[in-house]
Every structure is written in structure tokens, then in C-alpha cells.
Amino acid sequence: MDFRLKVFYTVALRLNFTKAATELYISQPAVSKHIQELEETYKTKLFERNGSKIALTPAGEILLKHTKNILEIYREIDFDMSSFINERQGLLRLGTSTTISQYIISPVLAKFHQKQQDIKVNLLNGNTEQIENALINKEIEIGIVEGQSKNQSIKYIPFLKDELVLVSRTKNPLIKENEIAVEDLKSMRFITRERGSGTLEVIEYALKKVGLKLTDLQIEMQLGSTESIKSYLLNSDCFAFMSIHAVGKELNNNELIVLDVKNLAIERYFYIITLLGKSDPLSELFLQNVSLYYNLKL
């Protein structure tokens, strides 16, 4: 593959020449030279430059679309040809939402690497919305997310069942008993994830079913990761709905406590997502390993 296209692809994704140079292990002037050569070849600008910021031109958008397809073909060639020498090689780009990347997927990746040491895995972390967008833009081959937005171009495969529980620090003086009524939620201060988070969408939907809106809650702060929410909880008298997978250690250490809410159960599935009608041998191999690890039928 023309290395200049790989340089272009990296710059187009990062929209930053310095970051692209670091990622490709070449100098920034070399990056600029490759982009300039492409622009001379196609006799058009690929990036608009505005001070330190850059953006793709319409021509750049078209080239990015074709470059993604070319990279995908090369990826499949590497994997298919390696099978002739009884080796499986290639690059799998995986995207997972925050809770899954921190508490679920690591054992699977470790087992996969033990079996397929010549296959590299790049892991992208973000909220559900970001991971779905990365899949649609062909920046990843497989995603694992919290909940489903029912995007018609995405195939959703149920993966693991999860429960969201109401937690607070064990020494919170506001806790009078371990079971509360739904109405009590209105007087409590909450920490939540940001908009676009699958966790927040699931909470919002569950509250709606018991006659509450998210705006009925006193939300003190929205934070971008599960770990930051836990840290905040341990240093405040706030409450949060969190995945039971995310708080196991803190519950065992008696740092956090679960409060039951009468008539409110928040359950969801984690979903494996792929592009509808799109499959490749490397992705299928990874899914086989996931299904074996969790004894699933995918």
C-alpha cells in the first residue's frame, strides 16, 4: 500500500500533524511532505488549514472514504494469506464503552492474545455513541456497548446481562436505611455519566417507567468515566446508579454500599455490534473466542 495514503489516513483521523507523526514514528516535516505529494498528485487540497487547526476538504472526505476501503482490503489480505503458512496475522480494531473496557473485556483480550499472538488488537475506548460512530465510519470492526440505539446499519448481538444499582459511600450520613422509595430519589444528589453514555440512557428509560424524569433528580455533576464517579462518591455524600460489574471491589472492601429502590430494577444487556451485512475472518475469529470464554451462542 502507498505509505502516503496511510499518512493521509492517520492525519485525517487525528486532524493533527504532530499526533500523526508520533503515531507513525516519522517526523512532522515528513508528514507534511507526504500530504503535499498527494495534493500535487490529485491537483487539489486535501486539508483546510486555519492556524493550528486543520479540517478535511470535500476532496479530502472522498479520499478518506476510499482509503478506509483500501485499508480494509489490505487487512483482509494479510489475514487470509497468513493462513497458508498456518499463522494468523493481522490487526483487529475493537471499540468498547467505558464500563466494558475497564471491567469486562480485559480477560477476553488476554485469552485471545495467548491463542493468537500474531494478531494485534487496537482498543478504542469511548461512550456508546462514540463507539457506534467509529463503527459506522469504519474506524473499528467490532464494538461492545452498553444498550442499543437501534441504528439500522448496525447489527446488535446480546452479550452479557448487567444490573445498574444505586450506590453511595458506606459512611454517607444521609443513609437512614438500605431500602428507599422511588420518591426519595428526588431529594438525593446524584453524579451521572455524560450525555451520549449508554448507562445514562438506560437509567433515564428506567426512571420514566416509574414516573420520574432525569430532570427530577438533583444532578450535582456529570463525569466522563466510571472511575471518576466512584472517586467522587467516596469523597462526597452523593449517590449514583452504577453497573454491578464496576463496583465489585468497592463493595467487597465495604467502601460503597448498595441501596435497594422499591419497584425499581434497572437491567440491561451489553451488546456486541458489527456493521449489518459486513463480516471478515479476523472479526469472526475474535467473536468465536468471546463466545467460548463466556459460553455464549453468538
Side-chain angles (χ1 to χ4, degrees), residues 16-45:
N16 186 296
F17 278 65
T18 303
K19 288 181 180 178
T22 302
E23 192 169 322
L24 294 165
Y25 299 102
I26 61 176
S27 67
Q28 188 172 331
V31 171
S32 299
K33 182 174 180 292
H34 286 304
I35 298 300
Q36 184 181 352
E37 287 177 359
L38 281 175
E39 290 178 333
E40 289 173 356
T41 298
Y42 297 118
K43 297 180 174 59
T44 186
K45 289 290 183 184

Side-chain angles (χ1 to χ4, degrees), residues 30-125:
V31 171
S32 299
K33 182 174 180 292
H34 286 304
I35 298 300
Q36 184 181 352
E37 287 177 359
L38 281 175
E39 290 178 333
E40 289 173 356
T41 298
Y42 297 118
K43 297 180 174 59
T44 186
K45 289 290 183 184
L46 300 173
F47 294 98
E48 295 285 357
R49 295 160 177 83
N50 183 10
S52 60
K53 295 182 179 180
I54 64 170
L56 282 166
T57 64
E61 294 280 3
I62 290 172
L63 184 59
L64 178 59
K65 176 185 174 183
H66 289 302
T67 303
K68 285 178 179 178
N69 291 334
I70 291 168
L71 284 169
E72 195 169 331
I73 291 168
Y74 269 90
R75 205 179 127 266
E76 292 180 8
I77 289 172
D78 287 343
F79 181 78
D80 289 342
M81 297 307 293
S82 68
S83 64
F84 284 100
I85 53 173
N86 297 320
E87 292 179 3
R88 284 174 164 172
Q89 299 177 339
L91 171 66
L92 176 66
R93 298 173 303 173
L94 178 67
T96 64
S97 53
T98 309
T99 301
I100 295 161
S101 67
Q102 290 178 321
Y103 311 106
I104 305 293
I105 201 63
S106 293
V108 179
L109 292 178
K111 289 288 184 184
F112 184 70
H113 179 69
Q114 287 173 10
K115 293 181 181 178
Q116 310 291 342
Q117 295 186 9
D118 291 323
I119 294 176
K120 295 180 181 178
V121 178
N122 281 358
L123 182 63
L124 173 69
N125 182 31

